[in-house]
Amino acid sequence: MAITRDSDLHIRRFSRNAGLGVVLLGFVAIVFGLTVVKVERGSTLEAYDHQPRTSLLPAEGVQK
Amino acid sequence: MSDISYIQQQDNEARFGDYIALLKPRVMSLVVFTAFVGLVVAPNPVHPFVGFVAILFIALGGGASGALNMWYDADIDRIMRRTRSRPIPAGKVTEREALGFGLALSGISCVMLALATNIFSGLFLAFTIFFYVVIYTMWLKRATPQNIVIGGAAGAFPPMIGWAVATGGVSIESIAMFLLVFLWTPPHFWSLALFMKSDYHEAKVPMLTVTHGREHTRKNILVYTLILAPLAVGTGFTSIGGPLYLATAIVMNALFIKGAIEIHGRTEVQAEADKYAVEKRFFYFSLVYLFAHFAALLAEEGLSHIGLGVW
């Protein structure tokens, strides 16, 4: 028997699969939202084009 | 797989809602509300989105412990009428599935809470799940009639976790909120046990009404209510309290004590005669009681934001 889009299994499990899809999308949205919030508020993360700003780097020869 | 078992599986296949039912959504509502209040009344402001995510994962952690509870208690749930329709006894979800589901959600919720807020909150949530599943469900629930008192602690941790999300620690205010829910649980649950003729004895769960009798349970309701009242009112003198909370607490606790005294003074014959009217009224009032206290704390926080806070 050919597996079709209307197979019995797909119909029976539609609510489960749709629910899981919504949950996974929600999870992605949460991680994205958290990233935005954390980056916006993280002043020490200030950077430009993946290169740290020179103003944030410790001056050469200065001991920590 | 035989043809018969395949057909049975088809008829009884779990739907999305069955997995939601494993999370005990009604218990989750108390977790969400108290954790929200704990987070909002804390002195450090939290970004609204981070706050929303924190509450979500605290609720998910509570749900995960519910799923693990259903996994471990599947044998009891099959015996008791009230729980026979739960997903595992109903044959919709297997015990192993519930265990995997609960463990996965526990891990996700604790890690996500720690990443979104602070490590302490994530560890606190992990401890709460451990406490509910191992200390309460696996160990003490079937061993002592004070099980509901100990189990109440797990339900009382969420406002402390909410507070920890904002502050990264514990303080007298968060302990006061914990005690409020912790000491409220026994009178709340035992009043329900008095009028809900449950079959705990068949499931061999030592409930106080079965092991020590109903008269003793009535006495315990009064004792816990009397211990709860000064603590509930005393919270009004901490930094999260105020005159509005104090007024609410005094009225609510006076009514709660009055109800507990009425319950204590009644015999089973009297209770049977009016179909446990007083016990039912006390139980429903206990819901209003807890909501009113936490709503008053929320209102105090709102008042202090508009410059009307007194202390």
Side-chain angles (χ1 to χ4, degrees):
Chain A
M1 190 178 74
I3 297 173
T4 66
R5 280 173 60 198
D6 294 319
S7 81
D8 190 34
L9 190 75
H10 286 151
I11 295 164
R12 274 201 332 267
R13 292 201 170 167
F14 180 76
S15 82
R16 230 160 108 168
N17 294 338
L20 184 62
V22 170
V23 168
L24 291 175
L25 282 174
F27 187 70
V28 170
I30 282 168
V31 173
F32 180 70
L34 276 176
T35 309
V36 171
V37 171
K38 295 250 172 195
V39 169
E40 266 181 2
R41 300 169 77 204
S43 54
T44 52
L45 292 176
E46 192 178 358
Y48 178 71
D49 198 18
H50 306 291
Q51 294 296 317
R53 276 195 187 176
T54 46
S55 61
L56 288 172
L57 293 172
E60 278 181 28
V62 175
Q63 296 220 328
K64 282 185 184 175
Chain B
M1 188 188 294
S2 70
D3 288 353
I4 291 172
S5 67
Y6 180 68
I7 291 164
Q8 278 176 342
Q9 196 186 334
Q10 280 186 332
D11 290 345
N12 233 354
E13 198 160 86
R15 290 177 176 276
F16 189 69
D18 292 315
Y19 290 96
I20 300 289
L22 276 179
L23 305 179
K24 297 192 177 180
R26 273 192 293 181
V27 179
M28 227 190 244
S29 59
L30 174 73
V31 170
V32 167
F33 179 58
T34 57
F36 173 72
V37 175
L39 191 148
V40 170
V41 301
N44 307 28
V46 177
H47 189 284
F49 187 74
V50 174
F52 163 74
V53 170
I55 300 294
L56 188 74
F57 285 111
I58 294 170
L60 195 67
S65 56
L68 292 171
N69 171 273
M70 284 201 204
W71 156 70
Y72 192 80
D73 278 349
D75 58 333
I76 300 177
D77 288 351
R78 282 193 194 96
I79 297 169
M80 297 203 297
R81 274 188 302 276
R82 182 173 65 85
T83 53
R84 245 177 241 166
S85 58
R86 284 180 175 175
I88 299 174
K92 302 211 169 193
V93 178
T94 64
E95 287 176 39
R96 285 187 64 178
E97 263 184 314
L99 173 64
F101 188 60
L103 286 175
L105 288 188
S106 298
I108 291 169
S109 57
C110 295
V111 170
M112 285 305 294
L113 185 66
L115 289 174
T117 61
N118 54 64
I119 302 279
F120 181 74
S121 305
L123 289 174
F124 203 160
L125 182 62
F127 172 73
T128 304
I129 296 170
F130 168 81
F131 189 93
Y132 185 70
V133 177
V134 178
I135 308 285
Y136 169 66
T137 305
M138 293 183 177
W139 180 22
L140 296 170
K141 183 176 177 179
R142 302 178 195 216
T144 165
Q146 292 291 318
N147 46 20
I148 223 64
V149 181
I150 298 136
F157 284 132
M160 284 187 87
I161 304 174
W163 181 276
V165 162
T167 64
V170 176
S171 70
I172 187 78
E173 290 85 355
S174 70
I175 293 170
M177 286 187 283
F178 165 82
L179 288 173
L180 189 59
V181 185
F182 176 65
L183 292 166
W184 163 87
T185 308
H188 165 76
F189 192 86
W190 283 330
S191 62
L192 175 75
L194 281 175
F195 67 83
M196 280 277 287
K197 301 271 187 189
S198 200
D199 27 18
Y200 282 111
H201 56 287
E202 284 171 34
K204 293 182 180 141
V205 177
M207 290 307 291
L208 196 67
T209 44
V210 179
T211 57
H212 289 69
R214 290 164 167 271
E215 203 185 318
H216 187 79
T217 307
R218 291 172 186 280
K219 190 177 158 193
N220 268 260
I221 289 175
L222 179 61
V223 169
Y224 275 94
T225 305
L226 290 174
I227 302 170
L228 168 66
L231 277 157
V233 175
T235 305
F237 297 102
T238 65
S239 71
I240 56 173
L244 180 70
Y245 173 86
L246 263 182
T248 308
I250 288 167
V251 172
M252 285 286 141
N253 282 282
L255 292 170
F256 211 41
I257 291 172
K258 182 175 168 280
I261 291 170
E262 277 176 17
I263 284 184
H264 181 246
R266 275 156 69 85
T267 61
E268 274 308 299
V269 179
Q270 286 172 312
E272 291 273 5
D274 64 6
K275 292 178 180 162
Y276 294 89
V278 173
E279 288 79 4
K280 282 178 185 168
R281 203 167 57 230
F282 183 83
F283 171 75
Y284 290 117
F285 179 72
S286 71
L287 295 168
V288 177
Y289 172 96
L290 194 71
F291 178 78
H293 278 81
F294 277 88
L297 289 176
L298 213 52
E300 286 288 357
E301 177 62 20
L303 288 175
S304 69
H305 265 284
I306 54 170
L308 294 173
V310 177
W311 60 79

